[in-house]
Amino acid sequence: MRQEFWTAFGQYMSPVLSSEGGKINWINYKTGEKDIYFRMNADNKTASIAIELTHRDEDIQALYFEQFEQTKKLLHKALQEEWIWLLHTRNEHGKLISRIYTEIKNVSVFKKEDWTQLISFFKPRIIALDEFWSTAKYVFEAMR
């Protein structure tokens, strides 16, 4: 069911162009920066969308997080909402990451009747992240 949802979401988003006018794989969004990911997740209880910073070096990961903090106003302007900011937390595999995210509860990717709500949650936020990233990515390119 999970795979079926993501396939359906990908097909639904397929005609939507990126903020720069090109075709884009919304499900597997490529930021172009190693260790910076935009991730969407849905399970049997919640759905979340996040910016994940995964650099192995804690200090560099903290620097990336600081850079996002510098662009916080731009991010929130694009998203039209505040997200949760976590510096140095553990993911489901125990790996140290930093996350900027939002989530909804009481939805299940395994219930087709929740899919409309999930799509309505993911679509505007991944588009807003893309809009934000089209401007903000240059800050991170300078850190390479």
Side-chain angles (χ1 to χ4, degrees):
M1 282 286 280
R2 185 188 313 255
Q3 184 177 356
E4 191 180 333
F5 169 77
W6 290 113
T7 300
F9 182 71
Q11 289 170 342
Y12 176 76
M13 292 295 293
S14 166
V16 180
L17 299 178
S18 75
S19 64
E20 296 176 346
K23 288 290 267 175
I24 188 164
N25 181 346
W26 294 103
I27 305 298
N28 189 18
Y29 190 97
K30 302 275 189 234
T31 65
E33 291 299 318
K34 192 173 187 281
D35 305 312
I36 300 175
Y37 299 94
F38 295 169
R39 300 211 200 272
M40 294 179 282
N41 188 38
D43 59 26
N44 64 339
K45 294 179 183 163
T46 63
S48 65
I49 183 166
I51 300 167
E52 289 188 359
L53 311 174
T54 62
H55 200 284
R56 247 181 267 156
D57 184 304
E58 273 183 53
D59 294 332
I60 293 174
Q61 193 180 111
L63 267 175
Y64 281 10
F65 194 82
E66 272 180 43
Q67 288 301 105
F68 273 98
E69 286 177 322
Q70 296 294 319
T71 61
K72 193 176 198 172
K73 282 184 182 170
L74 184 64
L75 177 62
H76 286 166
K77 183 179 179 209
L79 295 168
Q80 298 290 303
E81 64 187 8
E82 299 267 331
W83 283 16
I84 299 161
W85 294 64
L86 294 176
L87 174 64
H88 298 148
T89 188
R90 299 270 173 198
N91 69 10
E92 65 276 7
H93 306 293
K95 183 178 178 183
L96 187 70
I97 64 166
S98 293
R99 287 184 93 212
I100 303 161
Y101 74 100
T102 192
E103 66 182 3
I104 55 172
K105 296 181 186 319
N106 302 316
V107 291
S108 174
V109 73
F110 302 107
K111 292 183 187 170
K112 281 199 173 183
E113 60 267 23
D114 286 354
W115 286 12
T116 301
Q117 188 178 355
L118 290 168
I119 289 168
S120 296
F121 173 71
F122 288 127
K123 180 183 177 182
R125 288 167 180 86
I126 193 67
I127 290 170
L129 281 176
D130 174 62
E131 180 186 317
F132 159 77
W133 193 245
S134 71
T135 304
K137 65 184 172 188
Y138 302 107
V139 172
F140 296 90
E141 286 175 0
M143 294 178 66
R144 283 191 206 147

